[in-house]
Amino acid sequence: MASIGRKKYFVGALVLTTSLSMSGCVQITPLQTRDTTPPAPNSPQDSSDIIVPDEADTPGALDALRAIDVALTATPGAVVELGLEQERGRQVWEVGILRTDNTGVELYVDRESGDILRETPLRLSREQTTAPAVTAHQAIETAVQTIPGRVVYLDLDSHRSNIVWEVIVQADSGSLFELYINAATGEVVKQERYDD
């Protein structure tokens, strides 16, 4: 029923725009076509959205696994997403957690000190509302066994009707790779180079 209402609105807007254009009140410019498929809520759009660790890593800087440990020590639950972000000139791990009370929280963990800088509520996606059988730790271990390097992004997502861990690894060579790891079985179901 809502679809019919939208069609009527679209037709009405089209008639009005055409009338205004013909009267010289409005100039119509051609629309550019683009992909209108909405991205996953927190998915990076391309490799320029991925922040990789500083080239000159400071000894003791937190990797993804240690950032998860810090976050889960502060807030028990299941990690459902993780990404490296830049905040006020420093790199921080954003760690999204499904709490034991089924609410979401995002913790910002300083990459150098391991301090939790702040926390904000996290709106959970459909895929993130249930703790997966394969933990974030296990998904990271599988990813770096498949592509030696370091994880810079991880998120629970869906792929071909299955819940998967979308994991982006910066390989030892510096290239980025995206892997989908089945969140129920731990099997790598997709692997590709992650470039623009």
Side-chain angles (χ1 to χ4, degrees):
M1 203 63 159
S3 157
I4 293 172
R6 282 193 295 264
K7 286 179 186 174
K8 285 181 181 178
Y9 175 77
F10 175 76
V11 170
L14 181 62
V15 169
L16 177 63
T17 304
T18 304
S19 299
L20 289 172
S21 174
M22 293 176 85
S23 68
C25 295
V26 172
Q27 180 179 0
I28 297 178
T29 57
L31 293 174
Q32 294 180 356
T33 59
R34 63 184 175 90
D35 182 7
T36 58
T37 308
N42 294 314
S43 264
Q45 301 306 301
D46 58 44
S47 62
S48 65
D49 291 341
I50 298 294
I51 295 178
V52 295
D54 291 330
E55 291 301 319
D57 274 343
T58 306
L62 269 65
D63 64 5
L65 290 173
R66 289 183 40 222
I68 287 172
D69 291 341
V70 168
L72 289 176
T73 298
T75 303
V79 170
V80 294
E81 65 183 34
L82 169 129
L84 195 55
E85 298 292 328
Q86 197 74 25
E87 189 167 291
R88 296 187 184 123
R90 34 186 0 173
Q91 288 189 339
V92 297
W93 287 104
E94 283 186 14
V95 184
I97 296 175
L98 168 65
R99 290 181 175 149
T100 55
D101 65 0
N102 292 325
T103 61
V105 65
E106 194 157 47
L107 301 178
Y108 296 78
V109 181
D110 185 285
R111 186 164 174 263
E112 297 303 320
S113 69
D115 294 336
I116 295 176
L117 303 176
R118 64 186 173 101
E119 69 177 60
T120 60
L122 173 64
R123 184 170 175 238
L124 300 167
S125 69
R126 180 183 59 82
E127 295 84 2
Q128 296 174 335
T129 58
T130 303
V134 175
T135 66
H137 260 274
Q138 292 166 325
I140 289 171
E141 289 168 355
T142 298
V144 297
Q145 285 172 0
T146 305
I147 304 286
R150 53 188 167 186
V151 169
V152 295
Y153 177 85
L154 162 114
D155 186 31
L156 270 178
D157 206 345
S158 61
H159 176 69
R160 298 188 177 171
S161 302
N162 292 309
I163 305 296
V164 296
W165 284 106
E166 176 188 6
V167 185
I168 298 177
V169 175
Q170 180 186 26
D172 290 339
S173 66
S175 298
L176 294 175
F177 290 87
E178 179 179 40
L179 295 92
Y180 285 177
I181 299 168
N182 186 303
T185 66
E187 175 189 2
V188 177
V189 295
K190 179 180 174 185
Q191 172 185 329
E192 63 187 10
R193 193 176 174 108
Y194 190 79
D195 292 323
D196 288 340

